[in-house]
Amino acid sequence: MLLNDIIRQLEEKNGCTVGCAIWDAQSGETLACYHEDTVFKSASLIKTPIMLCALEEVEKGHLSLDTRIPVLACHRVGDEAPVIKDGTDVPLSVLLEYMITDSNNSATNVLIDLLGMYNVNAFSQRIGLRDTILRRHMLDYESARQGRENRTSASDMLRLYTLLYRGEVLTPFMCETALPILLRQHDKELLMFANPAQKAAHKTGGLSDIAHDAGILYGENRTLVFAALATAPSDAQCIAFLQALSPHVMALL
């Protein structure tokens, strides 16, 4: 059965709306292409463009990984690690690590204010992400109620991780700086569910009505670039969809 058909069946079974794109990085074969241009709330998928925008500033010499960034009270949303607290200056490298591996929202808010939403969005547009936009800070529920949501699509995430895999989104050196951080992602409960030990440079995202996973899978026989995004009335439905899809994707490796 074609993967698109499996995705469609699992979408219907779990009551989700999904967008998926999976690409074989060696052969160039498209293995899944299902509603890939549907635009979703991005949740924490937006954190990868934020990281890459920050690394571009390092590439340009405007920042270094050792640059210490002040944490203000307005950045804190209750999930900060002990090193990320009001009144401290935290190295950029530490903020990036927590933002990606722990999906730390306080660290993300520090970086959003450091870089500026306009610059993050300009970076996304420059690399060809048509549907990806940063419009609010993490856990800014008032902005969300007013409709100012962060957005992305499976096709955008596939493009981003393809460029990263090819070493083209930044200089090859900076791409090699970004990938190890993504490889240390802690969340293995979504598309990694069937094989949490699978080597993957990826980022997950979730809200009460969505669950997403996107990145690069390094298998023995294939390297896959993937994006799987889902929305439903409950995030449990989305998680169930991704976990059910997981063994089908792992079988391709």
Side-chain angles (χ1 to χ4, degrees), residues 37-53:
D37 292 325
T38 298
V39 178
F40 294 80
K41 289 187 285 188
S42 68
S44 291
L45 293 191
I46 199 71
K47 293 172 182 175
T48 303
I50 293 171
M51 175 178 68
L52 296 176
C53 181

Side-chain angles (χ1 to χ4, degrees), residues 120-153:
V120 174
N121 290 328
F123 171 82
S124 294
Q125 290 295 307
R126 200 158 56 247
I127 65 172
L129 308 186
R130 297 176 301 175
D131 303 315
T132 301
I133 185 167
L134 174 66
R135 301 179 69 195
R136 65 170 177 85
H137 289 81
M138 299 299 106
L139 304 190
D140 181 354
Y141 297 118
E142 181 57 33
S143 290
R145 279 192 291 270
Q146 293 174 12
R148 295 199 302 275
E149 272 293 356
N150 304 325
R151 302 282 183 180
T152 194
S153 63

Side-chain angles (χ1 to χ4, degrees), residues 3-8 10-11 16-23 30-40 153-158 191 211-214 225-231 238 241-242 245-246 249:
L3 191 55
N4 272 12
D5 294 330
I6 293 170
I7 292 168
R8 183 178 297 107
L10 293 176
E11 177 187 47
C16 299
T17 297
V18 307
C20 293
I22 303 175
W23 178 71
T30 297
L31 302 174
C33 193
Y34 186 83
H35 297 168
E36 70 278 9
D37 292 325
T38 298
V39 178
F40 294 80
S153 63
S155 60
D156 270 12
M157 287 295 105
L158 188 76
L191 206 69
H212 304 326
D213 205 342
V225 183
F226 74 94
L229 285 64
T231 187
C238 305
F241 164 76
L242 286 164
L245 180 60
S246 176
V249 175

Side-chain angles (χ1 to χ4, degrees), residues 140-206:
D140 181 354
Y141 297 118
E142 181 57 33
S143 290
R145 279 192 291 270
Q146 293 174 12
R148 295 199 302 275
E149 272 293 356
N150 304 325
R151 302 282 183 180
T152 194
S153 63
S155 60
D156 270 12
M157 287 295 105
L158 188 76
R159 176 172 176 79
L160 182 151
Y161 283 101
T162 298
L163 291 172
L164 184 56
Y165 171 77
R166 290 173 169 170
E168 296 174 355
V169 68
L170 300 169
T171 63
F173 176 80
M174 278 301 163
C175 290
E176 289 301 320
T177 300
L179 285 168
I181 302 174
L182 291 158
L183 283 164
R184 292 192 289 271
Q185 167 66 234
H186 294 162
D187 184 3
K188 302 296 180 182
E189 294 299 315
L190 299 178
L191 206 69
M192 304 301 111
F193 181 74
N195 184 11
Q198 169 62 50
K199 183 180 179 182
H202 69 120
K203 184 75 193 77
T204 58

